[in-house]
mmCIF file of all heavy atoms in Angstrom:
data_model
loop_
_atom_site.group_PDB
_atom_site.id
_atom_site.type_symbol
_atom_site.label_atom_id
_atom_site.label_comp_id
_atom_site.label_asym_id
_atom_site.label_seq_id
_atom_site.Cartn_x
_atom_site.Cartn_y
_atom_site.Cartn_z
ATOM 1 N N GLY N 826 0.884 -1.156 0.006
ATOM 2 C CA GLY N 826 0.010 0.006 0.001
ATOM 3 C C GLY N 826 0.835 1.253 -0.037
ATOM 4 O O GLY N 826 2.056 1.175 0.371
ATOM 5 N N TYR N 827 0.332 2.417 -0.434
ATOM 6 C CA TYR N 827 1.159 3.587 -0.560
ATOM 7 C C TYR N 827 1.497 4.207 0.848
ATOM 8 O O TYR N 827 2.137 5.233 0.922
ATOM 9 C CB TYR N 827 0.389 4.651 -1.407
ATOM 10 C CG TYR N 827 -0.904 5.167 -0.869
ATOM 11 C CD1 TYR N 827 -0.983 6.230 0.113
ATOM 12 C CD2 TYR N 827 -2.120 4.578 -1.232
ATOM 13 C CE1 TYR N 827 -2.167 6.706 0.592
ATOM 14 C CE2 TYR N 827 -3.289 5.079 -0.778
ATOM 15 C CZ TYR N 827 -3.311 6.106 0.119
ATOM 16 O OH TYR N 827 -4.517 6.568 0.629
ATOM 17 N N MET N 828 1.058 3.600 1.949
ATOM 18 C CA MET N 828 1.485 4.027 3.268
ATOM 19 C C MET N 828 2.350 3.070 3.972
ATOM 20 O O MET N 828 2.652 3.144 5.153
ATOM 21 C CB MET N 828 0.233 4.317 4.170
ATOM 22 C CG MET N 828 -0.733 5.337 3.579
ATOM 23 S SD MET N 828 -0.054 6.988 3.549
ATOM 24 C CE MET N 828 -0.084 7.399 5.236
ATOM 25 N N GLU N 829 2.832 2.003 3.284
ATOM 26 C CA GLU N 829 3.559 0.897 3.914
ATOM 27 C C GLU N 829 5.017 0.970 3.696
ATOM 28 O O GLU N 829 5.538 1.749 2.712
ATOM 29 C CB GLU N 829 3.087 -0.461 3.443
ATOM 30 C CG GLU N 829 1.693 -0.790 3.829
ATOM 31 C CD GLU N 829 1.303 -2.213 3.393
ATOM 32 O OE1 GLU N 829 1.094 -2.385 2.171
ATOM 33 O OE2 GLU N 829 1.174 -3.106 4.327
ATOM 34 N N ASP N 830 5.807 0.309 4.443
ATOM 35 C CA ASP N 830 7.253 0.228 4.378
ATOM 36 C C ASP N 830 7.660 -0.926 3.474
ATOM 37 O O ASP N 830 7.218 -2.043 3.773
ATOM 38 C CB ASP N 830 7.814 0.124 5.739
ATOM 39 C CG ASP N 830 9.347 0.298 5.768
ATOM 40 O OD1 ASP N 830 9.829 0.986 4.948
ATOM 41 O OD2 ASP N 830 10.022 -0.301 6.659
ATOM 42 N N PRO N 831 8.378 -0.716 2.296
ATOM 43 C CA PRO N 831 8.723 -1.734 1.380
ATOM 44 C C PRO N 831 9.779 -2.651 1.873
ATOM 45 O O PRO N 831 10.982 -2.513 1.521
ATOM 46 C CB PRO N 831 9.112 -1.001 0.137
ATOM 47 C CG PRO N 831 9.649 0.254 0.637
ATOM 48 C CD PRO N 831 8.900 0.650 1.906
ATOM 49 N N ASN N 832 9.432 -3.657 2.692
ATOM 50 C CA ASN N 832 10.417 -4.527 3.210
ATOM 51 C C ASN N 832 10.275 -5.846 2.466
ATOM 52 O O ASN N 832 9.377 -6.680 2.706
ATOM 53 C CB ASN N 832 10.205 -4.828 4.779
ATOM 54 C CG ASN N 832 11.229 -5.664 5.382
ATOM 55 O OD1 ASN N 832 11.759 -6.568 4.883
ATOM 56 N ND2 ASN N 832 11.679 -5.188 6.569
ATOM 57 N N ILE N 833 11.148 -6.077 1.573
ATOM 58 C CA ILE N 833 11.066 -7.189 0.615
ATOM 59 C C ILE N 833 11.205 -8.564 1.375
ATOM 60 O O ILE N 833 10.419 -9.489 1.148
ATOM 61 C CB ILE N 833 11.986 -7.121 -0.584
ATOM 62 C CG1 ILE N 833 11.599 -5.968 -1.493
ATOM 63 C CG2 ILE N 833 12.070 -8.394 -1.391
ATOM 64 C CD1 ILE N 833 10.227 -6.067 -2.152
ATOM 65 N N PRO N 834 12.321 -8.695 2.123
ATOM 66 C CA PRO N 834 12.414 -10.048 2.786
ATOM 67 C C PRO N 834 11.254 -10.419 3.621
ATOM 68 O O PRO N 834 10.808 -11.595 3.635
ATOM 69 C CB PRO N 834 13.760 -9.848 3.641
ATOM 70 C CG PRO N 834 14.395 -8.763 2.956
ATOM 71 C CD PRO N 834 13.460 -7.863 2.361
ATOM 72 N N ARG N 835 10.691 -9.415 4.336
ATOM 73 C CA ARG N 835 9.518 -9.773 5.140
ATOM 74 C C ARG N 835 8.272 -10.171 4.245
ATOM 75 O O ARG N 835 7.537 -11.101 4.585
ATOM 76 C CB ARG N 835 9.101 -8.558 6.030
ATOM 77 C CG ARG N 835 7.990 -8.800 6.946
ATOM 78 C CD ARG N 835 7.601 -7.532 7.744
ATOM 79 N NE ARG N 835 8.759 -7.080 8.445
ATOM 80 C CZ ARG N 835 8.894 -5.833 8.973
ATOM 81 N NH1 ARG N 835 7.861 -4.936 8.807
ATOM 82 N NH2 ARG N 835 9.914 -5.466 9.689
ATOM 83 N N ALA N 836 8.156 -9.405 3.150
ATOM 84 C CA ALA N 836 7.006 -9.696 2.251
ATOM 85 C C ALA N 836 7.178 -11.088 1.586
ATOM 86 O O ALA N 836 6.115 -11.766 1.324
ATOM 87 C CB ALA N 836 6.988 -8.578 1.184
ATOM 88 N N LEU N 837 8.368 -11.492 1.380
ATOM 89 C CA LEU N 837 8.610 -12.773 0.603
ATOM 90 C C LEU N 837 8.274 -13.992 1.519
ATOM 91 O O LEU N 837 8.091 -15.052 0.985
ATOM 92 C CB LEU N 837 10.002 -12.925 0.209
ATOM 93 C CG LEU N 837 10.419 -12.009 -0.976
ATOM 94 C CD1 LEU N 837 11.968 -12.155 -1.338
ATOM 95 C CD2 LEU N 837 9.529 -12.120 -2.198
ATOM 96 N N LYS N 838 8.042 -13.843 2.803
ATOM 97 C CA LYS N 838 7.584 -14.905 3.613
ATOM 98 C C LYS N 838 6.210 -15.431 3.128
ATOM 99 O O LYS N 838 5.957 -16.638 3.353
ATOM 100 C CB LYS N 838 7.484 -14.454 5.103
ATOM 101 C CG LYS N 838 8.840 -14.085 5.683
ATOM 102 C CD LYS N 838 8.697 -13.712 7.166
ATOM 103 C CE LYS N 838 10.012 -13.345 7.785
ATOM 104 N NZ LYS N 838 9.944 -12.908 9.176
ATOM 105 N N ALA N 839 5.412 -14.579 2.595
ATOM 106 C CA ALA N 839 4.184 -14.973 2.037
ATOM 107 C C ALA N 839 4.254 -15.952 0.888
ATOM 108 O O ALA N 839 3.293 -16.681 0.609
ATOM 109 C CB ALA N 839 3.340 -13.709 1.610
ATOM 110 N N CYS N 840 5.433 -16.026 0.228
ATOM 111 C CA CYS N 840 5.593 -17.014 -0.885
ATOM 112 C C CYS N 840 5.379 -18.459 -0.394
ATOM 113 O O CYS N 840 5.027 -19.240 -1.136
ATOM 114 C CB CYS N 840 6.963 -16.753 -1.503
ATOM 115 S SG CYS N 840 7.166 -15.247 -2.425
ATOM 116 N N ARG N 841 5.795 -18.773 0.851
ATOM 117 C CA ARG N 841 5.759 -20.087 1.354
ATOM 118 C C ARG N 841 4.358 -20.593 1.357
ATOM 119 O O ARG N 841 4.075 -21.716 1.114
ATOM 120 C CB ARG N 841 6.334 -20.136 2.780
ATOM 121 C CG ARG N 841 7.874 -19.771 2.797
ATOM 122 C CD ARG N 841 8.387 -19.989 4.238
ATOM 123 N NE ARG N 841 9.857 -19.669 4.213
ATOM 124 C CZ ARG N 841 10.357 -18.479 4.550
ATOM 125 N NH1 ARG N 841 9.567 -17.498 4.874
ATOM 126 N NH2 ARG N 841 11.686 -18.323 4.542
ATOM 127 N N LYS N 842 3.386 -19.736 1.548
ATOM 128 C CA LYS N 842 1.959 -20.138 1.618
ATOM 129 C C LYS N 842 1.446 -20.412 0.244
ATOM 130 O O LYS N 842 0.438 -21.175 0.041
ATOM 131 C CB LYS N 842 1.163 -19.062 2.189
ATOM 132 C CG LYS N 842 1.426 -18.651 3.676
ATOM 133 C CD LYS N 842 0.525 -17.509 4.146
ATOM 134 C CE LYS N 842 0.858 -17.203 5.561
ATOM 135 N NZ LYS N 842 0.030 -16.034 6.076
ATOM 136 N N GLN N 843 2.196 -20.084 -0.863
ATOM 137 C CA GLN N 843 1.824 -20.365 -2.208
ATOM 138 C C GLN N 843 2.758 -21.474 -2.788
ATOM 139 O O GLN N 843 2.814 -21.602 -4.012
ATOM 140 C CB GLN N 843 1.872 -19.072 -3.040
ATOM 141 C CG GLN N 843 0.887 -18.003 -2.564
ATOM 142 C CD GLN N 843 0.673 -16.939 -3.545
ATOM 143 O OE1 GLN N 843 0.664 -17.196 -4.722
ATOM 144 N NE2 GLN N 843 0.407 -15.700 -3.056
ATOM 145 N N GLY N 844 3.473 -22.147 -1.890
ATOM 146 C CA GLY N 844 4.174 -23.304 -2.485
ATOM 147 C C GLY N 844 5.583 -23.044 -2.880
ATOM 148 O O GLY N 844 6.283 -24.011 -3.315
ATOM 149 N N ILE N 845 6.109 -21.820 -2.726
ATOM 150 C CA ILE N 845 7.450 -21.574 -3.097
ATOM 151 C C ILE N 845 8.292 -21.456 -1.891
ATOM 152 O O ILE N 845 8.076 -20.646 -1.016
ATOM 153 C CB ILE N 845 7.617 -20.217 -3.973
ATOM 154 C CG1 ILE N 845 6.794 -20.340 -5.247
ATOM 155 C CG2 ILE N 845 9.025 -19.824 -4.150
ATOM 156 C CD1 ILE N 845 6.982 -19.091 -6.068
ATOM 157 N N LYS N 846 9.283 -22.354 -1.754
ATOM 158 C CA LYS N 846 10.039 -22.419 -0.583
ATOM 159 C C LYS N 846 11.533 -22.079 -0.933
ATOM 160 O O LYS N 846 12.080 -22.586 -1.945
ATOM 161 C CB LYS N 846 9.979 -23.808 0.088
ATOM 162 C CG LYS N 846 8.552 -24.150 0.565
ATOM 163 C CD LYS N 846 8.630 -25.544 1.224
ATOM 164 C CE LYS N 846 7.227 -25.960 1.666
ATOM 165 N NZ LYS N 846 7.185 -27.244 2.309
ATOM 166 N N PHE N 847 12.098 -21.194 -0.096
ATOM 167 C CA PHE N 847 13.536 -20.903 -0.275
ATOM 168 C C PHE N 847 14.011 -20.212 0.964
ATOM 169 O O PHE N 847 13.274 -19.710 1.795
ATOM 170 C CB PHE N 847 13.699 -19.956 -1.520
ATOM 171 C CG PHE N 847 12.903 -18.608 -1.463
ATOM 172 C CD1 PHE N 847 13.478 -17.521 -0.792
ATOM 173 C CD2 PHE N 847 11.645 -18.496 -1.917
ATOM 174 C CE1 PHE N 847 12.753 -16.369 -0.636
ATOM 175 C CE2 PHE N 847 10.978 -17.338 -1.842
ATOM 176 C CZ PHE N 847 11.480 -16.212 -1.175
ATOM 177 N N ASP N 848 15.267 -20.152 1.113
ATOM 178 C CA ASP N 848 15.889 -19.656 2.248
ATOM 179 C C ASP N 848 16.424 -18.278 1.834
ATOM 180 O O ASP N 848 17.237 -18.146 0.837
ATOM 181 C CB ASP N 848 17.090 -20.493 2.735
ATOM 182 C CG ASP N 848 17.807 -19.852 3.914
ATOM 183 O OD1 ASP N 848 17.363 -18.784 4.468
ATOM 184 O OD2 ASP N 848 18.864 -20.481 4.391
ATOM 185 N N ILE N 849 15.944 -17.232 2.539
ATOM 186 C CA ILE N 849 16.333 -15.871 2.041
ATOM 187 C C ILE N 849 17.872 -15.643 2.074
ATOM 188 O O ILE N 849 18.437 -14.837 1.257
ATOM 189 C CB ILE N 849 15.693 -14.767 3.017
ATOM 190 C CG1 ILE N 849 15.833 -13.411 2.392
ATOM 191 C CG2 ILE N 849 16.382 -14.834 4.342
ATOM 192 C CD1 ILE N 849 14.965 -13.192 1.210
ATOM 193 N N MET N 850 18.600 -16.398 2.907
ATOM 194 C CA MET N 850 19.993 -16.150 3.052
ATOM 195 C C MET N 850 20.818 -17.059 1.987
ATOM 196 O O MET N 850 22.013 -17.053 2.000
ATOM 197 C CB MET N 850 20.507 -16.562 4.464
ATOM 198 C CG MET N 850 20.030 -15.633 5.534
ATOM 199 S SD MET N 850 20.065 -13.806 5.058
ATOM 200 C CE MET N 850 21.880 -13.598 4.915
ATOM 201 N N SER N 851 20.110 -17.884 1.214
ATOM 202 C CA SER N 851 20.774 -18.599 0.150
ATOM 203 C C SER N 851 20.123 -18.104 -1.206
ATOM 204 O O SER N 851 20.221 -18.868 -2.189
ATOM 205 C CB SER N 851 20.622 -20.155 0.260
ATOM 206 O OG SER N 851 19.249 -20.520 0.231
ATOM 207 N N THR N 852 19.426 -16.987 -1.167
ATOM 208 C CA THR N 852 18.901 -16.406 -2.383
ATOM 209 C C THR N 852 19.653 -15.228 -2.911
ATOM 210 O O THR N 852 20.116 -14.433 -2.078
ATOM 211 C CB THR N 852 17.399 -15.958 -2.089
ATOM 212 O OG1 THR N 852 16.592 -17.063 -1.647
ATOM 213 C CG2 THR N 852 16.762 -15.230 -3.257
#
């Protein structure tokens, strides 16, 4: 949203719920 802080690593946690699994520290 236009009032939110763009934190990509935190947002990418939602990928796990859609079947994409990865370790942010090996990405």
Side-chain angles (χ1 to χ4, degrees):
Y827 62 86
M828 302 292 287
E829 291 185 290
D830 191 26
N832 190 318
I833 293 297
R835 183 184 302 165
L837 290 180
K838 293 180 180 179
C840 291
R841 295 185 178 94
K842 297 180 181 179
Q843 299 194 33
I845 295 183
K846 297 181 180 181
F847 58 89
D848 180 4
I849 193 71
M850 297 312 296
S851 63
T852 297

